[in-house]
């Protein structure tokens, strides 16, 4: 009887070890994929203006502070660049500094998060608000890549004026996006519309083992 019990125990031990190894590998795989899942879930929720779900994936106090620092740096660089050049541009940058609070408040919202995740960061323009991303009125658009628009004639004068007045308007094509870890507890998504265009990054921070939240932006990566 004792021999039989010992034999059964020896037979089940490799099975238990195998199950433990499978569980550990699955947990590690899920831990690695968790920021990608968080990014996907947050983008869907932001495009759908699902504020409750957005709140689960965004650290708004940290994002607000990051936006304040980044936009201040953006405007400071703009002032330095135009200090001996175009005085109107310098005045615009100074106005932007004065209106920094409303701009940050506008982007630290589900609308602002949707804009950030659709390639439309703040530009630091006076009175700027996050533009409405194309997927906002059609959440399924986030799942299907936008077709490449056919070449068209040069825009008419009113269109060109509208583009100049609102440089943060919805881009005609989705941005090029790269994502990856930048350390054990930081995950970075970088957006760029073209080889010569400026880049910016959305930064997710780890909270616990599997939870990630959008916590910062980098407007000058």
């Amino acid at each position: 009887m004792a021999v039989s019990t010992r034999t059964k125990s020896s037979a089940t031990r490799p099975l238990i070890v195998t199950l433990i190894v499978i569980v550990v590998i699955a947990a590690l795989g899920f831990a690695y994929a968790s920021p990608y899942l968080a990014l996907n879930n947050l983008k869907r929720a932001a495009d759908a203006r699902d504020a409750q779900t957005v709140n689960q994936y965004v650290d708004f106090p940290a994002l607000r502070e990051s936006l304040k620092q980044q936009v201040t740096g953006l405007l400071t660089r703009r002032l330095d660049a135009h200090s001996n050049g175009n005085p109107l541009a310098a005045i615009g940058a100074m106005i932007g500094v004065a209106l920094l609070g409303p701009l940050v408040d506008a982007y630290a919202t589900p609308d602002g998060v949707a804009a950030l995740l659709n390639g439309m960061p703040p530009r630091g323009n006076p009175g700027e608000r996050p533009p409405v991303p194309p997927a906002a009125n059609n959440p399924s658009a986030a799942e299907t890549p936008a077709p490449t628009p056919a070449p068209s004639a040069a825009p008419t004068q009113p269109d060109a004026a509208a583009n100049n007045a609102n440089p943060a308007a919805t881009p005609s094509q989705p941005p090029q996006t790269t994502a990856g870890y930048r350390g054990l507890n930081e995950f970075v998504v970088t957006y760029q519309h073209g080889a010569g265009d400026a880049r910016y990054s959305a930064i997710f921070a780890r909270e616990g083992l599997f939870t990630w939240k959008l916590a910062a932006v980098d407007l000058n990566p």
Side-chain angles (χ1 to χ4, degrees), residues 103-133:
L103 187 156
V104 170
D105 289 341
Y107 270 85
T109 61
D111 283 349
V113 171
L116 289 170
L117 298 183
N118 280 282
M120 293 171 279
R123 306 293 184 91
N125 298 317
E128 181 180 2
R129 297 187 63 81
V132 178

Side-chain angles (χ1 to χ4, degrees), residues 69-83 89-90 93 97 122-123 198-200 218-221:
Q69 294 175 358
Q70 289 293 312
V71 177
T72 298
L74 182 68
L75 293 172
T76 300
R77 292 191 295 272
R78 190 174 300 169
L79 278 170
D80 292 341
H82 295 290
S83 57
V97 172
R123 306 293 184 91
R199 298 183 301 163
Y200 76 96
D218 187 351
L219 301 181
N220 187 35

